[in-house]
Amino acid sequence: MSAWLERQQARTIKPAADVPAEDVTHQRISLYKDSPSGEVCIEEFERFAIDRLRVLKGIEDAKTKGFKGDQLQGLVIQLAEKHLKCATAEETRWKDAVSHFVLRLAYCRTEDLRRWFLQHECELFRCRFKNEMPTSQVEFMRRHSFAYEALAGEEYQGLKADLVKVPFEQVPDLVASRRVLLRGGAAYVSRHEVASLVVGHFRAGLSHSLALTARRWAASIADEEAERLTPVVLSLSERYLGPDYGDGEKGPQEVVTAAQLPALAKQSFPLCMQNMHSRLHADSHLKHFGRLELGLFLKGIGLPLEEAMKFWRAEFAPKVQGEKFDKEYAYNVRYNYAKEGKRTDYTPYSCKKIISIPVPKNEAFGCPYKTLSPADLAEQLRAMRLPQRSVEEVVAKARAGHFQLACMAEFEGRHSCICDEGINHPNQYYDESRKVLVEQQKPAEPATPAAGAAAVPGATQPKAAIGTPGIKITVAAT
Amino acid sequence: MSEEQVAKRPRTDEKGSSGTPMEQDQQEVPGPAGEGPTDRKPARKSVQDLMRPYYGLKFPYNEFCQWLSYGNDTKLPQADSNFFQRREFCFTLDGDIFVRYQSFKVAAEIHALPKLPAKIDIGPVYNVDPQRRKAYTGGASERGFLPVERELVFDIDLTDYDDVRTCGKEGHICAACWPLMAVAVEIIDASLREDFGFEHILWVFSGRRGIHCWVCDERARKLTDEQRSALAAFLSVYKGTEGGIARLALSTVSNSNHPSVERAYRVLSDAWTEHILPQQRLLADEAGWEGVLAYVKDDDVAERLRGRWAREQGRLTAGDISVERWADLESEIDKKEIIFAYAYPRLDVEVSKKMNHLLKAPFCVHPKTGKVCVPMDPSNIWAFDPEQVTTVHDLLETDKDSQDAATAEAAMEAAVGTFRRCFLNGLRAASKAGLVAKARASEGLAW
């Protein structure tokens, strides 16, 4: 046991950013216990909030791309510097507090919004806390009188460990990843993991406050501020939750029909969805996760329930028809559209999720850049008429384990354009693909929206969003 | 499945075990002498037919309700007399009809139900009586009807070991694969007690091929969903199988050699050579050793062993062939990984993560096997034999005055005895002590 602990201790404590260890910690990080008092003009109210959203959104993107540890921390600190820093420490603190409380208001109203906000605020807090010097961290904990026990002398003597003892409930993330010693319900946290402890408190406090704010919002604020704040607050949360590609985001003009699917699959489906789609067609069947991944993706591109039912029924028809289909598969389809079971409006799976689901042999679901052998992958790509240079690039990236980069390279090869920000969602791939194709079909002068464009789904502009996660597209010169 | 098929099930399951009360029972079923047992089957009632009398006559409601009251059924001043009534029960009626959000004031109410269930699931304790939940939901407030506490539960099922069991698949269970469950009980039980400090832990046979665990300490019942997930993740070293290889959380610095993982490894190592390796005959044939060799990183080593084992196939050995071949594997690192991949408990973590996940109650009857979901003594888990578990047929279909009836009765009593001895007695004492302490504390405040 002590060997394990010593090894844990030996992991170097990263020296924090280059700042003097004077006691300014409380100015840079806050638990946001009290709302700021003072006047904020409505423009500032919104501008501050949008700046903070850029930070939170940036955190989400970075995590989707797989950023972790020091790399993530560095990026988050940069984001915060860029968007939240002002001329003086005083102003910075003011902006930090105001933006936090405005977003609290905007993101308190539904479970999903709260979860999103909580998750990314905690990450921001964690990175900021870890960025402090160890002495400042201790000072911060002292200032906020965190209740923890320093170990008594005879307890774990011989371990010479610099440990803090807390109930295990307080450090769930350390428990989950086994980064803590447990004994009899107590967790012994080493000093360099105290961030988890503090973040735990931060999370619990914020979670509670969000629930309270939600009640107050419903009870009074929404009515009292109906004309002034409410529209701003509502639009903040609506615009910036980030695309989950749920069907709610689609306008009516973006509806896709079952009949359009084969053509769309060829043009704009990422390889994972193409594979499932063709396997479904060949086998007249698709296993559970395939139905889920493809079904939700199709919902995300704008296939309504009736069309989805039509599509699945037709595809299954050679093998399963009539009552058997109704009984065993129609439920699935309706489930995806929140008409059955818990009636949750499920959102399409992101790349991260698709990559993380284990795929048994010979199944069509999952990320093909991960599951296919290099030879099979190359063959498929060539069959899609991808230029040889792209095929090589894609296969090399996939082989190196950079599945999303491989997907991005495929996108670039297929659409002959540059994709700057990467692929992190099959529906994002699709949307960007539609955008590029529409762009490429347009005549040289974009005078009026081309008549043909209306017929192509996904042609309309996505909702204006600052810091939109979409890909910056540069159409290659033709 | 037709009713007759249902009725057949328990019969075939019990065939293999000799000397069970059931086998003697079969001889008493009226039927033309000299004919095979299959001809006599229609005489036996189906499990479904016996559910009603079982829940009417045999189900130990007293103990059941004493448990779920946590001392609130006493006259202690701090006792919360509504506590039991805020618990959700879910009944499954014939034909897989779920009836959720049932609640009862006292045990007798369940007993007196017009429709007795095929299965009882236990849900969380809510802030209000689940039957009156409608009055608290909807409207602006989202806080109306919420679970407030629930036992921490675990579910482990042998079907999740199908890729590493050699004796059978799916619903199959036998003496060769049960050690996987026994070792799971040992490992999880030790961690819950030593790492997390829990004391009131109930282990239950799930009726066919799995086990359930109920952690009932007050602290466990109050865990949030996030904390439950964390705890489940802590206990999950096995993270699924991909391409025939198990994914294990052993690779990172913080995970390898964690005291808890080391303790599990000690338990697994013993069970491995003593039970699992020989009984599963894991290295006895090519299919078996290929599965194991997939974990050997050094291709030369794998190739050498493959060659040697193939050459020696068919040779007579003094000891168990799998155990002997296991000794041929040299690398300690590979060995550890293989043992964890094959035998570390494969938790169904979804069951443990959420407060409001339902789980089948102890003492229910499994609809397919007719076996009673009896409690198990974790300190004597290797003595538990799932094939010998009492069935509803033993309890209700035997002649009242016969030896078999007495045996079945005694088995049921023993099961209830295990429940009291290993679990309920300690829990009741602790619940009462807790309430007394609470009363003292509030008196102290009043002063």
Side-chain angles (χ1 to χ4, degrees), chain A residues 212-242:
Chain A
L212 284 181
T213 314
R215 254 187 283 176
R216 281 183 40 218
W217 174 266
S220 57
I221 309 174
D223 289 340
E224 286 168 18
E225 298 283 352
E227 285 186 10
R228 209 170 55 119
L229 288 188
T230 307
V232 181
V233 165
L234 291 183
S235 76
L236 275 173
S237 59
E238 266 170 25
R239 282 190 297 170
Y240 298 108
L241 176 60

Side-chain angles (χ1 to χ4, degrees), chain B residues 287-363:
Chain B
W289 74 59
E290 282 307 325
V292 171
L293 288 178
Y295 291 90
V296 176
K297 307 249 169 358
D298 187 333
D299 289 345
D300 295 340
V301 174
E303 197 45 52
R304 205 172 61 235
L305 292 174
R306 188 175 288 129
R308 185 191 319 169
W309 293 344
R311 269 196 311 282
E312 292 176 355
Q313 189 66 338
R315 177 177 63 94
L316 284 176
T317 52
D320 181 87
I321 182 82
S322 295
V323 176
E324 283 192 8
R325 284 176 172 166
W326 180 249
D328 295 344
L329 278 168
E330 286 132 21
S331 160
E332 192 50 40
I333 292 166
D334 286 336
K335 282 192 164 182
K336 183 174 179 184
E337 198 185 332
I338 295 166
I339 291 181
F340 272 90
Y342 275 73
Y344 188 86
R346 298 182 169 190
L347 297 176
D348 181 352
V349 287
E350 294 308 318
V351 176
S352 311
K353 278 178 174 174
K354 290 232 151 118
M355 230 187 221
N356 60 2
H357 204 292
L358 298 169
L359 190 68
K360 183 164 62 168
F363 293 109

Side-chain angles (χ1 to χ4, degrees), chain B residues 103-165:
Chain B
S103 65
F104 304 96
K105 247 191 204 128
V106 287
E109 279 190 9
I110 310 180
H111 210 155
L113 273 185
K115 273 192 179 171
L116 280 166
K119 182 176 143 206
I120 303 176
D121 280 288
I122 302 177
V125 176
Y126 284 88
N127 54 345
V128 293
D129 181 347
Q131 292 214 356
R132 300 182 53 224
R133 70 192 177 284
K134 294 237 169 71
Y136 295 86
T137 47
S141 151
E142 285 182 47
R143 305 227 126 219
F145 178 63
L146 283 176
V148 289
E149 69 173 76
R150 193 268 191 310
E151 294 73 13
L152 172 67
V153 293
F154 297 97
D155 181 7
I156 310 175
D157 200 302
L158 272 170
T159 39
D160 290 325
Y161 293 73
D162 278 357
D163 59 314
V164 292
R165 302 200 267 178

Side-chain angles (χ1 to χ4, degrees), chain A residues 52-71:
Chain A
R52 194 181 193 85
L53 271 176
R54 287 186 166 124
V55 176
L56 300 184
K57 189 67 208 143
I59 295 175
E60 185 184 32
D61 286 348
K63 287 180 98 172
T64 319
K65 284 184 206 152
F67 279 55
K68 269 186 200 145
D70 294 342
Q71 206 188 3

Side-chain angles (χ1 to χ4, degrees), chain A residues 263-397:
Chain A
L264 286 173
K266 219 168 167 196
Q267 287 179 334
S268 295
F269 281 18
L271 194 56
C272 51
M273 297 302 159
Q274 246 183 41
N275 275 350
M276 279 186 276
H277 185 250
S278 55
R279 174 74 85 92
L280 167 66
H281 197 70
D283 295 358
S284 302
H285 193 270
L286 200 59
K287 288 251 174 101
H288 173 76
F289 274 112
R291 296 201 300 271
L292 207 59
E293 283 173 15
L294 180 61
L296 290 173
F297 168 79
L298 294 177
K299 181 171 91 163
I301 71 168
L303 189 74
L305 175 59
E306 313 79 64
E307 289 294 320
M309 204 57 99
K310 212 191 277 175
F311 166 73
W312 290 101
R313 193 183 295 279
E315 293 293 348
F316 271 74
K319 272 200 185 143
V320 180
Q321 313 91 11
E323 204 181 325
K324 185 153 193 269
F325 178 87
D326 291 340
K327 235 173 150 176
E328 287 171 27
Y329 300 102
Y331 179 91
N332 259 209
V333 178
R334 291 166 49 75
Y335 183 87
N336 282 348
Y337 284 79
K339 304 291 182 211
E340 298 284 358
K342 274 191 292 182
R343 296 178 184 270
T344 309
D345 197 359
Y346 294 95
T347 50
Y349 285 9
S350 66
C351 291
K352 195 174 158 200
K353 193 155 180 189
I354 291 176
I355 291 170
S356 70
I357 295 172
V359 182
K361 273 180 196 161
N362 298 323
E363 292 296 333
F365 64 89
C367 175
Y369 300 106
K370 184 180 177 195
T371 57
L372 291 181
S373 70
D376 290 348
L377 180 60
E379 197 188 310
Q380 276 214 18
L381 293 170
R382 275 193 288 270
M384 288 161 61
R385 306 223 185 108
L386 208 64
Q388 181 58 23
R389 203 165 38 85
S390 296
V391 172
E392 281 161 20
E393 192 189 346
V394 174
V395 173
K397 293 243 161 79

Side-chain angles (χ1 to χ4, degrees), chain A residues 43-282:
Chain A
E43 289 77 24
E44 229 171 33
F45 182 93
E46 188 168 13
R47 189 164 56 81
F48 282 5
I50 288 172
D51 282 343
R52 194 181 193 85
L53 271 176
R54 287 186 166 124
V55 176
L56 300 184
K57 189 67 208 143
I59 295 175
E60 185 184 32
D61 286 348
K63 287 180 98 172
T64 319
K65 284 184 206 152
F67 279 55
K68 269 186 200 145
D70 294 342
Q71 206 188 3
L72 179 66
Q73 186 176 327
L75 190 103
V76 173
I77 296 299
Q78 263 180 29
L79 278 170
E81 293 256 311
K82 188 171 159 203
H83 297 295
L84 294 175
K85 199 171 181 180
C86 305
T88 67
E90 183 74 9
E91 284 174 60
T92 305
R93 206 161 63 236
W94 171 248
K95 181 171 179 179
D96 184 50
V98 170
S99 61
H100 172 87
F101 278 93
V102 174
L103 289 190
R104 218 187 243 194
L105 212 51
Y107 280 76
C108 72
R109 289 166 304 107
T110 71
E111 186 64 43
D112 282 347
L113 290 170
R114 284 197 292 268
R115 198 182 314 119
W116 188 88
F117 182 67
L118 190 59
Q119 192 185 343
H120 298 104
E121 276 287 330
C122 284
E123 199 53 60
L124 175 60
F125 180 86
R126 177 198 306 278
C127 292
R128 283 172 155 182
F129 183 83
K130 286 180 100 165
N131 200 44
E132 294 295 331
M133 296 288 282
T135 45
S136 321
Q137 292 179 347
V138 173
E139 170 58 23
F140 182 84
M141 290 174 71
R142 193 193 57 73
R143 183 178 288 273
H144 292 283
S145 49
F146 275 91
Y148 64 81
E149 264 176 78
L151 292 193
E154 69 270 33
E155 203 171 14
Y156 290 100
Q157 56 172 216
L159 289 178
K160 283 177 250 125
D162 194 10
L163 295 176
V164 168
K165 178 183 174 186
V166 293
F168 78 85
E169 287 92 335
Q170 287 188 13
V171 282
D173 59 330
L174 295 183
V175 171
S177 52
R178 248 178 258 122
R179 274 179 295 151
V180 69
L181 180 66
L182 289 177
R183 190 168 281 183
Y188 295 86
V189 183
S190 48
R191 286 272 181 215
H192 69 270
E193 304 276 23
V194 289
S196 291
L197 182 58
V198 182
V199 173
H201 279 269
F202 178 79
R203 172 188 290 270
L206 182 54
S207 175
H208 181 68
S209 307
L210 280 170
L212 284 181
T213 314
R215 254 187 283 176
R216 281 183 40 218
W217 174 266
S220 57
I221 309 174
D223 289 340
E224 286 168 18
E225 298 283 352
E227 285 186 10
R228 209 170 55 119
L229 288 188
T230 307
V232 181
V233 165
L234 291 183
S235 76
L236 275 173
S237 59
E238 266 170 25
R239 282 190 297 170
Y240 298 108
L241 176 60
D244 59 6
Y245 301 98
D247 55 356
E249 306 234 320
K250 295 277 169 190
Q253 68 274 61
E254 291 166 81
V255 164
V256 167
T257 64
Q260 288 172 305
L261 288 179
L264 286 173
K266 219 168 167 196
Q267 287 179 334
S268 295
F269 281 18
L271 194 56
C272 51
M273 297 302 159
Q274 246 183 41
N275 275 350
M276 279 186 276
H277 185 250
S278 55
R279 174 74 85 92
L280 167 66
H281 197 70

